[in-house]
Amino acid sequence: MMELLDYLGTAEHAAERGVEVIRAGLGRERSISGKGDRDFATDVDYAVEDAVRAFLGQETPEIPLLGEERGRSGDSESHYEWVLDPIDGTINFAHGSPLFGVSLALMRNGMPVVGVVYAPMSEERFSAALGHGAALNKQALRASGPSDLSEAVVAMGDFSVGLDADKRNLRRLAGLQRLVPKVQRIRMLGTAALDMCWLAAGRVDAVIHERINLWDVAAGTVICREAGVLVTDLDGVDYGDGAVSVLAAGPDIHRALLTELG
Ligand code: IPD
């Protein structure tokens, strides 16, 4: 069995393959396929997923893969699983915003242990392996943030679309109403993977996603944890496969947010 650092190397190369596909597609007309109410993928999302799948299929054929666009493939009995969001921030990407990235994690027994988020427009590659620290373009990352909520910049997930969106958005709005008078600022970047990386880099001080998919935040979870950030769900349980929400922050802000939103 390979070591986590070997897997990290493999994940970095795989994410690079994805980024090459994105770069080749920049400036070209994008075709868009609808996935549901105001939800879609571009042809580049699919092409990136296919390139990363092909690379990982060659390098680690024994490890199954869950991808946002093409679903799950491979040995369902494995303790390991690659989890891929070919473009996290698809709406940003489709609108010409630079805030998007390829996000790839390796899960072991349901917990993310390796993570790479590659944001091609800023040439930033965030990476981490459990027990080996987190890095941004090979420079070690150590999150440091305020301890008081009034100094915290809080990144929040998109409002819901699709089934039950109204009900879910009412909950988000109630949470926002409680936080707005207490925090320094609220941000909504439109990419959960970069929310997490920006938290690890100290550009925001907390991340809240009321409803989120594993592929959006699995890589960012390892990057945050290795940078010293707590990552749980909104009930305060350690984030892992099966969780539906994320609350990530340094210990003081995390505690304060749990109390505010609990
Ligand atoms: C989306 C982004 C966004 C989050 C949404 C996700 P996608 O991922 O991460 O920040 O709020 O819930 O669906 O669709 O661009 O991969």
Side-chain angles (χ1 to χ4, degrees):
M1 203 22 105
M2 285 162 72
E3 298 292 332
L4 285 188
L5 282 180
D6 297 323
Y7 285 127
L8 177 59
T10 304
E12 286 173 344
H13 283 118
E16 244 149 61
R17 296 296 165 100
V19 162
E20 281 163 18
V21 173
I22 291 172
R23 290 210 174 101
L26 286 177
R28 294 211 195 125
E29 182 103 2
R30 276 161 213 142
S31 79
I32 285 176
S33 33
K35 298 200 289 186
D37 170 33
R38 289 165 289 154
D39 189 18
F40 59 80
T42 71
D43 53 339
V44 186
D45 293 66
Y46 288 103
V48 170
E49 181 157 333
D50 291 345
V52 174
R53 272 180 183 279
F55 179 81
L56 290 175
Q58 250 169 13
E59 297 296 310
T60 56
E62 71 286 5
I63 301 185
L65 189 150
L66 168 66
E68 177 177 13
E69 310 307 341
R70 305 237 186 248
R72 202 163 238 137
S73 62
D75 174 11
S76 58
E77 300 293 300
S78 174
H79 295 299
Y80 286 84
E81 183 171 52
W82 292 111
V83 175
L84 169 68
D85 189 342
I87 299 184
D88 183 67
T90 296
I91 303 280
N92 288 350
F93 173 68
H95 280 76
S97 154
L99 287 180
F100 63 87
V102 177
S103 178
L104 177 65
L106 181 67
M107 308 289 290
R108 186 174 60 196
N109 298 322
M111 279 301 192
V113 289
V114 163
V116 175
V117 176
Y118 200 146
M121 306 311 282
S122 56
E123 303 272 5
E124 290 186 314
R125 192 182 68 194
F126 297 86
S127 55
L130 187 69
H132 295 280
L136 164 53
N137 293 344
K138 298 197 173 141
Q139 299 275 15
L141 276 181
R142 199 74 211 151
S144 64
S147 49
D148 199 288
L149 212 47
S150 64
E151 292 167 26
V153 174
V154 179
M156 298 192 72
D158 287 350
F159 284 96
S160 283
V161 291
L163 208 64
D164 281 342
D166 287 352
K167 211 161 72 194
R168 291 211 292 265
N169 286 333
L170 279 180
R171 246 199 342 258
R172 276 174 173 71
L173 286 165
L176 259 178
Q177 201 160 22
R178 260 175 280 153
L179 291 186
V180 164
K182 305 239 161 111
V183 303
Q184 190 170 77
R185 289 291 186 279
I186 299 283
R187 295 285 180 261
M188 205 180 276
L189 304 179
T191 151
L194 284 180
D195 283 346
M196 302 291 277
C197 293
W198 281 29
L199 173 57
R203 298 174 188 170
V204 299
D205 305 305
V207 173
I208 300 171
H209 282 260
E210 294 248 0
R211 188 105 186 174
I212 197 71
N213 289 308
L214 184 62
W215 48 73
D216 295 313
V217 291
T221 295
V222 198
I223 293 162
C224 275
R225 285 186 176 145
E226 287 298 310
V229 173
L230 282 177
V231 187
T232 69
D233 64 12
L234 278 166
D235 293 321
V237 177
D238 270 352
Y239 182 85
D241 196 1
V244 295
S245 60
V246 160
L247 170 57
D252 294 329
I253 299 294
H254 189 277
R255 199 175 314 111
L257 286 172
L258 257 188
T259 309
E260 284 302 330
L261 297 171

